[in-house]
Amino acid sequence: VQLQASGGGLVQAGGSLRLACAPSGRPFGSYAWGWFRQAPGKEREFVASITWRAGIRTYADSMKSRFTISRDNAKNTVYLQMNGLKPEDTAIYYCGADQGTKTHYDSKDYRRYEYWGQGTLVTVSS
């Protein structure tokens, strides 16, 4: 299963972007979806997650006032709306699908997610 992330690009500080993530092939169900990001030279960092059925959202503390995660069940797509972008938000953003088989990891731990997209680059200029 491959996830396709899109919506990245170059934006000025204070701007907004909306990322999207969907399976590249046939739709499949997941317990939850998550967004992570990785800046050059840094570890992959949790951004936000959402459970598919109930829509329960979890955010990294540093981003919850600016980012919003949502899902469209009919389109089998998860979104990340990012507002008030800062240069430090520059990173490759990855989406992951949690199939519920690695529940011994916290939802903020990337190891919980079984499937990943290729990532989409977000660059925020100052």
Side-chain angles (χ1 to χ4, degrees):
V1 176
Q2 186 72 21
L3 305 180
Q4 188 72 33
S6 61
L10 174 64
V11 64
Q12 290 188 334
S16 299
L17 283 173
R18 187 194 194 202
L19 308 182
C21 178
S24 59
R26 61 178 178 83
F28 72 99
S30 293
Y31 171 74
W33 294 62
W35 284 100
F36 289 73
R37 68 185 186 184
Q38 189 164 16
K42 295 188 177 181
E43 294 187 351
R44 190 166 295 195
E45 176 185 26
F46 172 77
V47 176
S49 65
I50 187 167
T51 61
W52 197 251
R53 181 169 295 181
I56 298 172
R57 297 171 172 84
T58 303
Y59 294 95
D61 288 342
S62 61
M63 293 170 245
K64 62 183 177 182
S65 64
R66 300 183 293 123
F67 293 1
T68 302
I69 189 170
S70 62
R71 85 247 191 261
D72 184 326
N73 293 41
K75 296 182 179 179
N76 206 28
T77 300
V78 63
Y79 302 96
L80 184 69
Q81 178 67 42
M82 305 186 296
N83 300 325
L85 284 163
K86 305 174 182 180
E88 52 263 43
D89 294 318
T90 294
I92 299 175
Y93 283 71
Y94 298 91
C95 61
D98 171 9
Q99 299 296 96
T101 64
K102 299 183 179 181
T103 56
H104 50 289
Y105 293 111
D106 187 84
S107 62
K108 297 181 180 181
D109 190 328
Y110 72 90
R111 293 172 292 182
R112 182 177 173 115
Y113 298 80
E114 289 88 343
Y115 302 111
W116 290 94
Q118 83 289 355
T120 185
L121 177 62
V122 172
T123 304
V124 184
S125 63
S126 57

